[in-house]
Amino acid sequence: MSFQYDMSDFSEVLVSENAIGRKLDEMAAEIRADYADKDLLLVGVLKGAVMVMADLARRMPPAVQMDWMAVSSYGSGTKSSGVVRILKDLDADLTGRHVLIVEDIIDTGVTLSWLTGNLRSRGAASVEVAALLRKPAAAVVDVPVKYLGFDIPNQFVVGYGLDFAEDYRTLPFVAVLKPEVYGDK
Ligand code: IMP
Ligand code: MG
């Protein structure tokens, strides 16, 4: 990436652009093998999963479809509210479909636990989860993740789709935001 970022808001780059690309190669190979004889619907969770969905989907055959949901479990700050609301629902009918939820990060697990249950109740043939990042130390609910990128420490991270108050989503890497940037919001 030729663009120069101002790195002063970050204490550390946790996952580089190259590391993300290599990991997505591995995850995509597994997914392609597992769903070789099935029709696959990728369900991205807006807005955080936009980058991982775009990069994962481009490693899939053209019969693989994408759909999107927007749910909210967070306000503009850094703490989970534990409350999940549907802000935008899927267009697709899930009856008989093989669904793979594509997520940016599993923090408490509250969002994904609720979402997998919700999508299963719509008659999907299968519902699995692919997530780029997971914070094991923050888990409140256990969510089975079939395809995982990286386990990371329990720190607030931004970039590659992840935001703080809607900023930093465009970064091509995942970085730890300095606590003084988000304060005690
Ligand atoms: P959970 O329900 O606590 O697992 O939270 C899931 C959602 O919270 C993710 O999809 C993110 O949108 C957001 N989130 C959790 N941790 C972080 C973080 O470190 N940085 C930015 N967003 C986060
Ligand atoms: Mg998210």
Side-chain angles (χ1 to χ4, degrees):
M1 186 72 55
S2 53
F3 186 84
Q4 281 302 308
Y5 289 95
D6 172 6
M7 302 299 285
S8 62
D9 285 352
F10 317 122
S11 52
E12 184 189 352
V13 172
L14 216 52
V15 193
S16 70
E17 186 175 4
N18 279 336
I20 292 171
R22 286 195 303 270
K23 186 62 78 175
L24 289 178
D25 285 341
E26 293 173 21
M27 292 168 72
E30 275 185 64
I31 294 167
R32 286 195 306 264
D34 290 353
Y35 292 90
D37 54 356
K38 300 189 175 84
D39 90 292
L40 174 59
L41 177 67
L42 302 175
V43 168
V45 185
L46 294 169
K47 305 174 195 168
V50 162
M51 302 297 178
V52 56
M53 174 69 114
D55 287 339
L56 197 60
R58 277 181 286 188
R59 289 164 164 84
M60 293 294 139
V64 170
Q65 300 180 355
M66 290 187 281
D67 202 351
W68 301 92
M69 264 181 102
V71 300
S72 166
S73 63
Y74 268 57
S76 60
T78 60
K79 300 263 155 55
S80 177
S81 67
V83 177
V84 181
R85 284 188 303 140
I86 295 183
L87 305 178
K88 181 226 173 285
D89 207 345
L90 297 171
D91 296 328
D93 176 358
L94 297 191
T95 312
R97 306 284 315 257
H98 292 281
V99 174
L100 180 60
I101 301 172
V102 177
E103 254 289 35
D104 48 2
I105 190 166
I106 303 174
D107 187 20
T108 62
V110 168
T111 307
L112 265 179
S113 156
W114 179 88
L115 196 57
T116 49
N118 182 282
L119 300 191
R120 281 201 180 100
S121 75
R122 304 185 194 195
S126 67
V127 178
E128 301 288 353
V129 174
L132 183 69
L133 305 169
R134 177 174 65 182
K135 296 181 193 172
V140 171
V141 199
D142 185 51
V143 181
V145 190
K146 190 145 185 208
Y147 310 97
L148 177 69
F150 304 91
D151 274 326
I152 62 168
N154 195 7
Q155 289 170 305
F156 194 76
V157 293
V158 294
Y160 201 68
L162 291 158
D163 73 308
F164 169 65
E166 296 298 327
D167 286 345
Y168 305 107
R169 289 193 197 274
T170 61
L171 297 174
F173 49 80
V174 175
V176 178
L177 195 59
K178 283 182 182 163
E180 59 258 40
V181 179
Y182 62 81
D184 58 0
K185 277 177 218 169

